[in-house]
């Protein structure tokens, strides 16, 4: 368990207020309430874990935070901006500050792209850097997550599960984000690799002050990395507090 991060550190980096997400089923004849009046905040350098059974709304919240899924009602504030009221064009400058690491690294990495190109993706998208400058940042990110530079031209399928998830993390930190959504980042890994990845994430948070929104059902991992926990049930937060 990490030490507590208190609200005395100033304004939250992420603030979710009365979030609602509905899905239309059966050609609009039925509505599913995936998220219902959810509110929480994440402070700089803090890890908040969203836990709950499958279908409780955890991943839907993560997608709404990343604005890959539009909200039905409520507001999401990131770094002082109400991103639920921003166009995709206006939101683009903020996207470098919000990254994601998914559950299965092999599924989330393009099998036809080399490691260096994968990690370079957010740099090409968000920063006016020259190719040599981007390569330097790619190699720096690889080094920070414990990857050897000689795999820069390798493909995901040639890597071990540990290397694959480290590539995903390197891609996430390459743009120097303020927030990373961790969507079950260790659930597909064996216990030894899971521990290594959790320690890496903690080290990166301490070094760079990154905030994590951790989506997980693994309470052992949650207790190890999170500062606070929000328990979800049927689209609502039923308990929120420190670990």
């Amino acid at each position: 368990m990490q030490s507590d991060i208190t609200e005395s550190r100033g304004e939250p980096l992420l603030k979710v207020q009365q979030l609602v997400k509905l899905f239309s089923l059966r050609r609009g004849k039925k509505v599913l309430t995936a998220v219902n009046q959810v509110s929480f905040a994440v402070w700089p350098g803090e890890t908040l874990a969203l836990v709950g059974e499958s279908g409780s709304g955890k991943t839907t919240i993560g997608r709404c935070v990343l604005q890959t899924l539009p909200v039905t009602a409520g507001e999401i504030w990131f770094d002082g901006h109400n991103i639920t009221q921003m166009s995709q064009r206006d939101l683009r400058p903020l996207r470098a500050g919000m990254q994601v690491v998914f559950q299965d690294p092999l599924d989330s990495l393009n099998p036809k792209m080399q490691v260096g190109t994968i990690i370079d993706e957010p740099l090409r998208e968000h920063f006016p850097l020259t190719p040599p400058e981007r390569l330097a940042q790619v190699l720096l990110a690889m080094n920070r997550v414990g990857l050897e530079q000689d795999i820069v031209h390798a493909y995901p399928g040639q890597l071990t599960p540990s290397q694959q998830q480290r590539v995903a993390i390197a891609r996430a930190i390459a743009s120097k984000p303020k927030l990373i959504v961790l969507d079950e980042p260790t659930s597909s890994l064996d216990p030894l690799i899971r521990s290594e990845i959790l320690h890496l994430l903690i080290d990166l948070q301490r070094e760079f002050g990154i905030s994590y929104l951790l989506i997980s059902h693994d309470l052992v991992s949650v207790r190890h990395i999170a500062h606070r926990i929000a328990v979800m049930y049927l689209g609502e937060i039923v308990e929120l507090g420190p670990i």
Side-chain angles (χ1 to χ4, degrees):
M1 181 180 66
Q2 296 208 67
S3 58
D4 188 30
I5 299 290
T6 68
E7 299 182 15
S8 63
R9 297 186 64 172
E11 287 296 312
L13 174 68
L14 176 69
K15 185 163 55 175
V16 175
Q17 297 179 312
Q18 301 297 307
L19 178 65
V20 176
K21 179 58 187 177
L22 307 178
F23 290 101
S24 295
L25 305 176
R26 298 179 182 176
R27 299 179 181 178
K29 294 181 180 180
K30 187 176 180 180
V31 174
L32 170 67
T33 303
V35 179
N36 186 27
Q37 300 291 326
V38 164
S39 298
F40 62 84
V42 182
W43 269 262
E46 180 189 34
T47 299
L48 174 68
L50 293 179
V51 303
E53 61 188 16
S54 179
S56 61
K58 308 184 302 295
T59 296
T60 299
I61 290 175
R63 293 179 63 191
C64 288
V65 166
L66 293 166
Q67 287 294 281
T68 59
L69 194 63
V71 307
T72 303
E75 295 181 343
I76 298 174
W77 290 75
F78 172 70
D79 204 16
H81 301 271
N82 184 354
I83 60 176
T84 50
Q85 295 184 356
M86 299 176 71
S87 67
Q88 289 299 313
R89 179 179 179 180
D90 291 338
L91 183 61
R92 186 173 179 179
L94 294 176
R95 287 202 176 277
M98 296 184 289
Q99 296 296 323
V100 60
V101 175
F102 293 104
Q103 175 177 354
D104 190 332
L106 191 55
D107 282 348
S108 67
L109 302 177
N110 189 329
K112 298 180 180 180
M113 292 173 63
Q114 295 177 341
V115 165
T117 307
I118 290 171
I119 299 171
D120 185 35
E121 214 168 7
L123 299 176
R124 295 195 311 272
E125 179 72 18
H126 299 295
F127 299 99
L129 301 174
T130 65
E133 288 171 335
R134 295 203 315 269
L135 177 59
Q137 292 299 314
V138 167
L139 296 179
L140 186 63
M142 291 179 64
N143 178 69
R144 188 57 196 85
V145 301
L147 290 172
E148 298 294 333
Q149 293 186 6
D150 59 7
I151 69 164
V152 71
H153 297 300
Y155 292 90
Q158 299 173 307
L159 307 179
T160 67
S162 175
Q163 289 174 319
Q164 291 165 357
Q165 195 62 303
R166 288 172 191 271
V167 169
I169 295 170
R171 178 179 60 185
I173 68 169
S175 62
K176 297 180 173 60
K178 295 183 177 181
L179 173 72
I180 299 179
V181 175
L182 302 170
D183 191 354
E184 302 277 8
T186 61
S187 63
S188 65
L189 305 174
D190 67 41
L192 178 59
I193 298 175
R194 183 181 305 147
S195 177
E196 292 175 354
I197 295 299
L198 288 174
H199 279 97
L200 172 62
L201 291 169
I202 291 172
D203 289 345
L204 292 171
Q205 183 176 63
R206 290 173 178 169
E207 182 174 352
F208 299 114
I210 306 169
S211 298
Y212 294 142
L213 180 62
L214 172 64
I215 297 165
S216 182
H217 67 274
D218 179 8
L219 292 180
V220 174
S221 297
V222 166
R223 291 191 184 99
H224 189 68
I225 191 174
H227 300 95
R228 291 186 299 133
I229 184 172
V231 181
M232 296 197 64
Y233 180 70
L234 297 178
E236 300 181 358
I237 291 180
V238 295
E239 187 175 354
L240 174 63
I243 294 294

